[in-house]
Amino acid sequence: MKRVPLAIAAAVAAALALTSCSGGGGTTTQTSDAAAAANAPDDLNIGNFLDVTSWDPALADIGFDGPYLSAVYDALVALDKDGKPVPALAEKWEVASDDLSITLTLHKGGTFSDGTPVDADAVVKSLDYLKAGARSGEAYTNVSSFEAVDDHTVKINLTQRDDTILYFMGLGRSYVMSPKAIAAGTLGKQPVGSGPYTLDGAKSVAGSEYHFTKVPGYWDAKAYSFKNLAIFPIMDATARQNAMLSGQINVQYGDITNKDAAQQQGWNTVSRVSGWAGLVITDHTGAKNKALGDLKVRQALNYAFDGAAILKAVGSGAGAATNQVFPEGGSINDPSLNKQYAYNVDKAKQLLTEAGYPNGFDISMPMSPVFEQWKPAADQALTAIGVKVTWDNMQMPDYQLNAPNYPMFISFLAMDGNEVATVARQVTSKQWFNPAPDYASNAVLAPLVKKVQETKGADQTAAIKDLNKALVDQAWWSVWYQADNTYYSVSGIKVQPVIGMMFPTLRYITKG
């Protein structure tokens, strides 16, 4: 349930700015030669899509908050471009042989902007605070305690093996805060961290523009090469484009309608898949709607939708037509599986007949303005196979609360670059869109999930591949496509998209 904010951001971004995606997953036209880096601007001015959710890392969202929070806070763990945890403020870590603890070795000499030293005691206070956080707590569900072993060593004690904790920490759930600010309860308005920049309150205007001053002698300065930083939340794509044309910003969350203009300006363009659109099925047992408990009915739903056509019509072709929730281009996504439910209305009708529904069936589904752009395609596909839908209209906040109570609903869900996290978030753990995971009731999926949870390394990867195939076979969802996120930057600035972050943190925006 704690991933609600990211899901909202993903849905809003998809609905209001899905056309702000460009090219296939992982595509890029940006340059990276030394000359470009040498001529790069000293100031980084970002046109983000949304305003900062909160300056308090326990309440902040992962999606678009990355640039804001990574400016003022150090993270214990970061991620590489493929979702693998890498050192940050924690220079290294060691997982115990019994998998029940992780020992972090901290960088020495860090200081919070209020002068407090960054030591193990401070880190433990931050981790305790994050564990209790309404949003950040998702990373620490299997933690029993944190302890300071010495001034620069922290031990995380676990109740059970956790293959996702380091990934979630790197995704944006391990920012370290001043103990004084935590105690004062003021972080939501005034961030106090040890990051590469400090927020300039005098120049900043909440909701409009945020200016930052670089910290002299910052310990990891080479990773943050821009002298000054400004972030402008601009939801309107035309306004973002005009801001970049005028020189107000030099990096932006892009819009495919501006792709040709971006190329004419000589801007760099980079794209990568960010989330999947389709039908979320919450009722695989038929408890809410008997028909959905039949595998043939769920398979019929997959045959009924032409994902490539929907991607073209709604997303301007910016993404990948796939029936899988593991990111396109990643190690788990299997292109051959995308042919399994090639659009075929006759096949869908045949399966419904075999399942005992020759005339289709009735179902109620929620609808919100955010998802109206997909409604015509859904109406057409479901009507074609005899499925009669009663649409219950509601606003987005109500949709988020009520949609999971329906047997199935349209959604756009953010994805993860980490394969184990994908299993957790999409299949096994409670989320707003999956409040009562029922995989354990499926005789095919249950043993495969168990194997994923019990194996490691290459064996675990193989088990996840088997699970992915089984999820497609069992028609666990009706996935239509995965949509791209795109970013434009001026010559000399490189952006590395990271799956799981709607806007990458500053670590991934560099000169080059």
Side-chain angles (χ1 to χ4, degrees):
M1 294 293 287
K2 293 183 179 179
R3 203 185 184 206
V4 171
L6 179 56
I8 290 176
V12 172
L16 301 181
L18 187 57
T19 54
S20 64
C21 307
S22 172
T27 62
T28 177
T29 62
Q30 60 185 15
T31 59
S32 58
D33 59 305
N39 295 319
D42 287 330
D43 296 345
L44 177 61
N45 299 313
I46 297 173
N48 204 339
F49 178 68
L50 295 178
D51 193 8
V52 62
T53 306
S54 174
W55 290 107
D56 184 340
L59 301 175
D61 178 26
I62 289 173
F64 289 95
D65 279 354
Y68 302 104
L69 296 191
S70 62
V72 295
Y73 295 109
D74 271 323
L76 290 168
V77 181
L79 300 177
D80 68 10
K81 63 183 180 66
D82 297 315
K84 179 181 178 181
V86 294
L89 187 62
E91 295 181 334
K92 62 180 180 179
W93 54 81
E94 182 178 357
V95 180
S97 58
D98 63 1
D99 294 313
L100 294 180
S101 66
I102 304 171
T103 301
L104 309 175
T105 300
L106 307 178
H107 170 78
K108 298 178 182 178
T111 305
F112 293 108
S113 57
D114 63 2
T116 306
V118 180
D119 56 17
D121 286 337
V123 169
V124 167
K125 285 183 173 64
S126 285
L127 289 172
D128 281 331
Y129 184 69
L130 291 168
K131 176 175 168 54
R135 298 179 181 177
S136 57
E138 67 171 344
Y140 304 103
T141 56
N142 294 320
V143 171
S144 60
S145 65
F146 307 101
E147 60 178 291
V149 177
D150 58 37
D151 286 349
H152 300 288
T153 308
V154 171
K155 187 177 182 182
I156 303 174
N157 297 304
L158 302 170
T159 58
Q160 64 184 52
R161 171 181 154 188
D162 190 334
D163 293 336
T164 62
I165 181 171
L166 290 171
Y167 168 75
F168 289 140
M169 290 174 71
L171 195 61
R173 297 307 186 198
S174 67
Y175 289 119
V176 177
M177 302 145 277
S178 164
K180 293 180 181 179
I182 293 175
T186 56
L187 286 168
K189 295 182 178 179
Q190 181 60 48
V192 184
S194 60
Y197 300 88
T198 55
L199 178 65
D200 187 336
K203 292 183 179 179
S204 300
V205 179
S208 178
E209 57 187 272
Y210 300 92
H211 296 266
F212 304 81
T213 302
K214 193 165 188 180
V215 175
Y218 176 67
W219 68 274
D220 195 20
K222 65 180 180 180
Y224 303 92
S225 54
F226 296 96
K227 182 178 179 181
N228 296 301
L229 168 68
I231 305 176
F232 302 85
I234 308 172
M235 181 176 287
D236 183 76
T238 300
R240 281 198 310 276
Q241 179 72 358
N242 289 337
M244 193 150 166
L245 288 170
S246 70
Q248 179 187 16
I249 62 176
N250 49 27
V251 173
Q252 67 159 306
Y253 184 75
D255 187 309
I256 195 172
T257 61
N258 294 322
K259 183 178 180 180
D260 290 341
Q263 292 177 338
Q264 292 172 5
Q265 293 293 325
W267 296 342
N268 297 320
T269 303
V270 63
S271 305
R272 200 172 190 186
V273 292
S274 64
W276 67 269
L279 292 178
V280 175
I281 299 174
T282 64
D283 183 20
H284 301 96
T285 64
K288 301 175 186 176
N289 188 293
K290 183 179 178 181
L292 293 181
D294 193 306
L295 173 59
K296 289 184 177 180
V297 171
R298 300 197 303 272
Q299 291 175 331
L301 291 174
N302 275 264
Y303 278 113
F305 285 88
D306 187 344
I310 300 173
L311 172 60
K312 182 177 180 180
V314 178
S316 301
T322 178
N323 54 22
Q324 300 161 69
V325 299
F326 291 87
E328 185 269 342
S331 60
I332 302 301
N333 187 288
D334 182 353
S336 68
L337 294 177
N338 294 331
K339 303 175 183 178
Q340 187 158 327
Y341 298 113
Y343 177 56
N344 190 327
V345 174
D346 291 338
K347 179 67 174 179
K349 289 181 177 179
Q350 177 187 337
L351 286 168
L352 286 177
T353 299
E354 293 174 2
Y357 301 94
N359 298 314
F361 58 91
D362 296 341
I363 194 167
S364 294
M365 293 175 62
M367 178 48 59
S368 164
V370 169
F371 298 102
E372 283 285 350
Q373 61 181 336
W374 287 291
K375 184 180 177 182
D379 268 330
Q380 180 179 355
L382 294 172
T383 300
I385 61 174
V387 177
K388 304 172 187 66
V389 180
T390 298
W391 295 102
D392 296 335
N393 295 315
M394 58 192 73
Q395 294 303 309
M396 184 59 197
D398 293 327
Y399 191 95
Q400 188 102 23
L401 290 172
N402 296 317
N405 297 323
Y406 288 77
M408 70 180 186
F409 60 94
I410 297 172
S411 195
F412 180 93
L413 299 180
M415 300 186 299
D416 288 285
N418 180 282
E419 58 199 39
V420 183
T422 298
V423 174
R425 281 180 153 170
Q426 301 284 349
V427 183
T428 65
S429 68
K430 292 182 179 180
Q431 305 288 338
W432 78 266
F433 53 86
N434 188 21
D438 58 0
Y439 71 91
S441 65
N442 186 287
V444 175
L445 298 182
L448 293 175
V449 169
K450 183 179 180 181
K451 188 174 182 181
V452 170
Q453 295 171 339
E454 293 180 347
T455 54
K456 295 182 180 181
D459 290 339
Q460 185 181 59
T461 299
I464 295 174
K465 289 181 178 180
D466 291 340
L467 176 60
N468 180 43
K469 185 178 186 307
L471 289 166
V472 174
D473 291 341
Q474 293 295 307
W476 211 240
W477 312 273
S478 177
V479 180
W480 304 333
Y481 62 87
Q482 295 177 8
D484 284 350
N485 273 353
T486 288
Y487 311 91
Y488 300 140
S489 60
V490 301
S491 178
I493 299 180
K494 294 174 59 177
V495 179
Q496 172 59 62
V498 178
I499 298 174
M501 300 178 186
M502 297 300 287
F503 208 114
T505 61
L506 297 184
R507 177 178 291 270
Y508 307 102
I509 305 175
T510 59
K511 292 184 178 182

